[in-house]
Amino acid sequence: MKKIQMVDLKSQYDKIADTVNASIQEVLNTNTYINGPQVHEFQKGLEIYLDVKHVIPCANGTDALQIAMMGLGLQPGDEVITADFTFAATVEVIALLQLTPVLVDVDLHNMNISIDRIKAAITPKTKAIVPVHLFGRAANMEAIMALANEHNLFVIEDNAQAIGANCKFSDGTKKKAGTIGHVGATSFFPSKNLGCYGDGGAIFTNDDALAHTIRGIVNHGMYERYHHDVVGVNSRLDSIQAGVLNAKLPLLDSYNKARQTAAMKYSAALQAHKNIIAPIICDNCDCHVFHQYTLRIIDADRNGLMQHLLDKGIPCAIYYPIPLHLQKAYLDVRYKEEDFPVTNQLVKEVLSLPMHTELDDDQITFITDSVLEYLNK
Ligand SMILES: *Cc1c(COP(=O)(O)O)cnc(C)c1O
């Protein structure tokens, strides 16, 4: 059996080496390292794939979130509501811009931001909601947009983990996660569903004026060369990374399909066990692109199981071990433990199994057998 890895980028690369190498070579041949034609090609390709008017590439997903908030003109003291259970980048940029992060609990069944908790957290100072499509599952954007419209709030989607996922609406329409709010942000960190071979990110919006503002912000606040109208940043996707992404974008749907197939195989073997709550997978499900395959382990020793898997050479991880409201950097006297029952529970239960595009049946069977072996002993 091939060695099991949490993310197997090497096996994926081996299959696309010719196209990726040619893309990179093209940049080297033409010396167009910054703002080369590859970047423009990728921008256009992603606009078509996502069916969104504007994609603005940038240096990484954290920058994408920060620039989105700068573009919306959020001001120090504005309250921004986001999920307590996510990667810290989401709340970090809120704090960096001197906005006030307001962390709220998530829902147990999908681990995404709780609509009721958002409602309860809205104050006259609230300016924006940042839903995170956690682990690849689209958050309930219909409810979030309704709430945002009612209270006149911006919605910034953190789509770093869910590129390619579809959000379904009650009228039957579907839209890509990240393109529904006023602005969306994503990351092309190598292990993400669409990953480059370094750092990369992008911002998406259907709003022409906001896109224009953001294009200036990513380029030192310049709208005309050497005229700095606003305080901006320097955040670019370089041409080599864009070349890698051009080679991989046409494969994104097949990559997400491979993740979904692996997830279904995991769940088929594990979901009936009394100590396991497997992620919900709906029929023809495309609202979840399985950036992570995350189990909840209940009434059993989750950490013991994790050690058992590691001892057998099966990588696995706890995403995330500490709720954000308990992280030193984000402590706030307003937070009360009873407001975070779900996150406080999830950090004790979650366990993410290896998830990538190259998992084979032997590996999946070995992993699920090893999980069951421990829980049944
Ligand atoms: C990866 C990630 C980010 C940050 O992306 P970088 O490219 O690493 O800066 C932000 N939010 C979430 C939810 C992520 O998973």
Side-chain angles (χ1 to χ4, degrees), residues 212-231:
H212 174 75
T213 304
I214 288 174
R215 286 204 178 92
I217 291 173
V218 298
N219 188 25
H220 302 290
M222 281 194 284
Y223 296 89
E224 200 185 320
R225 203 164 168 78
Y226 300 123
H227 294 252
H228 302 272
D229 295 357
V230 294
V231 178

Side-chain angles (χ1 to χ4, degrees), residues 199-357:
D199 274 310
I203 303 144
F204 336 123
T205 184
N206 284 307
D207 179 330
D208 297 339
L210 180 60
H212 174 75
T213 304
I214 288 174
R215 286 204 178 92
I217 291 173
V218 298
N219 188 25
H220 302 290
M222 281 194 284
Y223 296 89
E224 200 185 320
R225 203 164 168 78
Y226 300 123
H227 294 252
H228 302 272
D229 295 357
V230 294
V231 178
V233 295
N234 170 25
S235 189
R236 293 185 282 243
L237 180 71
D238 69 67
S239 307
I240 289 183
Q241 299 310 332
V244 172
L245 291 165
N246 284 331
K248 290 178 77 170
L249 180 59
L251 299 167
L252 176 58
D253 282 341
S254 68
Y255 285 163
N256 282 339
K257 194 92 213 144
R259 289 171 178 273
Q260 288 163 338
T261 303
M264 283 192 284
K265 289 177 184 166
Y266 274 143
S267 287
L270 297 174
Q271 68 192 0
H273 196 279
K274 67 179 190 331
N275 297 125
I276 293 176
I277 312 249
I280 304 162
I281 305 181
C282 37
D283 287 342
N284 292 321
C285 191
D286 54 6
C287 59
H288 196 335
V289 291
F290 290 95
H291 177 60
Q292 300 295 345
Y293 180 85
T294 303
L295 298 171
R296 291 171 49 210
I297 305 299
I298 51 167
D299 303 323
D301 178 3
R302 188 266 318 254
N303 292 352
L305 169 59
M306 181 166 165
Q307 194 55 52
H308 172 78
L309 296 177
L310 294 174
D311 290 346
K312 299 193 79 168
I314 301 169
C316 53
I318 295 169
Y319 302 123
Y320 296 95
I322 305 172
L324 287 177
H325 79 276
L326 294 178
Q327 298 282 0
K328 267 193 211 157
Y330 305 112
L331 295 176
D332 189 315
V333 288
R334 292 180 302 177
Y335 297 145
K336 300 192 195 68
E337 281 316 296
E338 61 264 32
D339 290 335
F340 301 97
V342 178
T343 318
N344 286 338
Q345 179 181 347
L346 285 175
V347 294
K348 296 189 205 115
E349 295 179 345
V350 287
L351 183 63
S352 297
L353 298 181
M355 178 48 81
H356 53 80
T357 58

Side-chain angles (χ1 to χ4, degrees), residues 58-67 87 89-90 92-93 96 186-187 200-201:
C58 67
N60 58 67
T62 310
D63 275 9
L65 285 164
Q66 175 179 333
I67 294 159
F87 181 57
T90 322
E92 178 178 54
V93 297
L96 265 178
T186 201
S187 164

